[in-house]
Amino acid sequence: LRKILIHPDPRLKKVAQPVASVNDDMRRLADDMLETMYDAPGIGLAAPQIAVMDRMLVMDCAKEDDATPEPMVLINPEVVWTSEERNVYEEGCLSIPEQYAEVERPAEVEVSWMDLDGKTRRERFDGLWATCVQHEIDHLDGKLFIDYLRPLKRQMITRKMQKLKREMARG
Ligand SMILES: O=C(O)C[C@@H](Cc1ccccc1)[C@H](O)SCc1ccccc1
Ligand SMILES: [Zn+2]
């Protein structure tokens, strides 16, 4: 299990670096990220959230109804198409615990990425998975869902997190 960074943290604002080659280290990192994500629990996790500045994210696109988990590992993901239509979803973030706010994003996105076998993939996401993959790719660019909120609301959430971190530091 890896420690998930809590906002505010400069590492959550940095732009992650492209992955040069998919090797055993990347496979081990993907396993660590999936284990950490399931334990949180969450449906997505980006490498910068565990202080690894690589462009890699994991998601579990298990459709709500069927039980079989479907872990996905996206390396160097890029949004190559977005729908005109937009969706609003009440988002949360494992790096900003217990805070939720409505965020509007394109309802559908097409993403191209490299998978753990080094194969290039390209897929269209809709629904919660469109929201999730955009939320995770934002993490790779140092962007958090609170960056889409009004400054006052963002500051309120940031102050709550600073208080939480002070309390955690005091143990
Ligand atoms: O912090 C993260 O990146 C994990 C996020 C991913 C996410 C945020 C908003 C909307 C969809 C995905 C979540 O904390 S994972 C927790 C979760 C679980 C079910 C539905 C929404 C969020
Ligand atoms: Zn997040």
Side-chain angles (χ1 to χ4, degrees):
L1 279 190
R2 299 287 194 95
K3 187 182 156 320
I4 295 177
L5 298 179
I6 302 297
H7 167 75
D9 185 312
R11 291 164 291 182
L12 290 171
K13 305 300 285 170
K14 282 172 63 72
V15 176
Q17 297 303 312
V19 171
S21 66
V22 182
N23 53 29
D24 283 352
D25 287 350
M26 295 315 292
R27 289 187 189 87
R28 213 182 341 273
L29 174 63
D31 286 346
D32 285 357
M33 287 175 64
L34 282 164
E35 183 194 25
T36 304
M37 179 190 80
Y38 287 124
D39 176 74
I43 56 171
L45 190 70
Q49 291 183 274
I50 58 168
V52 173
M53 304 318 289
D54 288 338
R55 297 188 78 79
M56 178 198 273
L57 67 94
V58 295
M59 287 197 304
D60 183 335
C61 287
K63 306 293 169 244
E64 273 82 323
D65 34 28
D66 82 22
T68 42
E70 187 194 330
M72 295 184 81
V73 178
L74 283 69
I75 296 168
N76 300 334
E78 284 177 49
V79 174
V80 293
W81 172 84
T82 59
S83 61
E84 293 293 313
E85 189 202 352
R86 296 173 74 81
N87 255 353
V88 175
Y89 191 91
E90 187 167 48
E91 298 195 14
C93 182
L94 297 175
S95 296
I96 311 179
E98 320 287 321
Q99 306 303 312
Y100 302 92
E102 292 201 339
V103 177
E104 187 188 299
R105 297 182 189 269
E108 277 187 74
V109 286
E110 191 158 313
V111 181
S112 87
W113 72 94
M114 189 162 49
D115 64 17
L116 277 182
D117 306 324
K119 265 198 344 284
T120 300
R121 306 274 303 275
R122 191 181 169 118
E123 206 168 303
R124 196 166 280 197
F125 295 91
D126 64 5
L128 176 57
W129 312 115
T131 300
C132 181
V133 75
Q134 292 177 83
H135 176 110
E136 301 309 335
I137 292 176
D138 271 354
H139 272 301
L140 302 183
D141 294 326
K143 210 166 165 60
L144 300 172
F145 81 89
I146 56 172
D147 296 335
Y148 295 96
L149 309 183
R150 292 189 311 278
L152 227 51
K153 179 119 171 84
R154 180 167 55 251
Q155 282 157 22
M156 195 179 70
I157 291 176
T158 300
R159 282 209 196 94
K160 278 191 191 162
M161 291 296 105
Q162 287 165 326
K163 183 168 176 289
L164 175 76
K165 289 175 81 164
R166 278 200 302 276
E167 282 153 8
M168 278 162 50
R170 265 208 299 274

